């Protein structure tokens, strides 16, 4: 409704100017003006649709500009925080950052395609940021993944990440202990680390960054300077191509 009213106002101001200043209208003139606007919109409803489309384009443009500023102002925390897993091609010419939640159905759904894209491209630096926001199981899974990385290194983390993304079962201490065994890491050591300050600090910093970046859902992607709140319907290939062209240009 707000968009429609705003669009109507834009349409009204686009009409040919009257001979008098609208600010000086008396009540009769205001009523006549309002009726004229109404009759025009009823006769030309496509104008209202066009106005709404213009408003939406302006809103998206403003969001894009704001996102560019957010990325620029938080570059170190986004791309070089020192605690997030870095994979793909660590020397790649384009960096893709992903905020993830292991209980996020969309994250799980897009993960295989994302893996294929990064593997096929061969020149993408991929950074994963644990951002558990959905359930208590989200927090357990994220803590487990971070603890595995701190105890056993990045290769073990990636295996934990893959297993958690593929899992459709519950996440609890029993299932995580079993997963630790499958990964070849000491389950007791990893589970003990999950509630340490070292692990909590990683998740806390990621949440602070997400708040600064106005990230409120998963998956959220940052590809160089562009932020995507969800997976685009046509995938990430076009965004990566734009980012690469911009850097080369």
């Amino acid at each position: 409704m707000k968009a429609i009213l705003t669009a109507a106002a834009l349409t009204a101001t686009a009409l040919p100017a009257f001979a008098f200043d609208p600010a000086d209208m008396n009540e009769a003139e205001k009523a006549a003006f309002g009726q004229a606007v109404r009759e025009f919109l009823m006769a030309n409803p496509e104008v209202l649709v066009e106005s709404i489309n213009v408003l939406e384009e302006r809103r998206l443009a403003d969001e894009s500009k704001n996102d560019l500023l957010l990325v620029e102002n938080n570059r170190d925390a986004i791309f070089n925080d020192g605690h997030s897993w870095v994979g793909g091609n660590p020397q790649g010419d384009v960096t893709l950052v992903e905020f993830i939640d292991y209980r996020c159905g969309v994250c799980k759904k897009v993960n295989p395609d994302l893996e294929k894209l990064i593997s096929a491209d061969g020149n993408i630096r991929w950074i994963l940021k644990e951002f558990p926001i959905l359930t208590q199981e989200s927090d357990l899974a994220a803590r487990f993944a971070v603890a595995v990385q701190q105890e056993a290194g990045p290769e073990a983390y990636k295996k934990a990440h893959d297993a958690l993304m593929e899992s459709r079962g519950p996440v609890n201490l029993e299932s995580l202990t079993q997963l630790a065994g499958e990964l070849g890491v000491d389950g007791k050591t990893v589970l003990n680390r999950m509630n340490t300050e070292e692990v909590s600090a990683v998740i806390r910093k990621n949440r602070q960054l997400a708040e600064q970046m106005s990230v409120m859902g998963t998956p959220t992607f940052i590809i160089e300077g562009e932020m995507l709140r969800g997976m685009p319907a046509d995938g990430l290939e076009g965004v990566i191509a734009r980012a690469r062209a911009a850097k080369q240009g």
Side-chain angles (χ1 to χ4, degrees), residues 64-121:
S64 180
K65 290 178 182 178
N66 185 58
D67 286 347
L68 286 172
L69 288 174
L70 288 174
V71 173
E72 185 60 32
N73 292 336
N74 294 279
R75 292 195 69 83
D76 285 343
I78 295 169
F79 300 112
N80 301 290
D81 62 20
H83 62 251
S84 292
W85 178 84
V86 179
N89 180 352
Q91 284 75 49
D93 65 340
V94 171
T95 298
L96 182 155
V97 178
E98 181 185 9
F99 286 81
I100 58 169
D101 184 315
Y102 290 116
R103 304 309 285 173
C104 166
V106 177
C107 295
K108 291 177 180 291
K109 181 179 179 180
V110 305
N111 190 65
D113 290 337
L114 187 59
E115 292 271 8
K116 290 177 184 176
L117 169 62
I118 292 171
S119 176
D121 185 285

Side-chain angles (χ1 to χ4, degrees), residues 5-23:
L5 291 175
T6 306
L10 287 176
T11 304
T13 57
L15 294 173
F18 287 3
F20 51 83
D21 186 346

Side-chain angles (χ1 to χ4, degrees), residues 47-63:
V47 173
L48 186 56
V49 175
E50 291 172 4
S51 298
I52 292 173
N53 289 339
V54 169
L55 284 173
E56 180 65 9
E57 289 173 3
R58 291 178 183 174
R59 183 187 68 80
L60 292 174
D62 288 342
E63 283 188 359

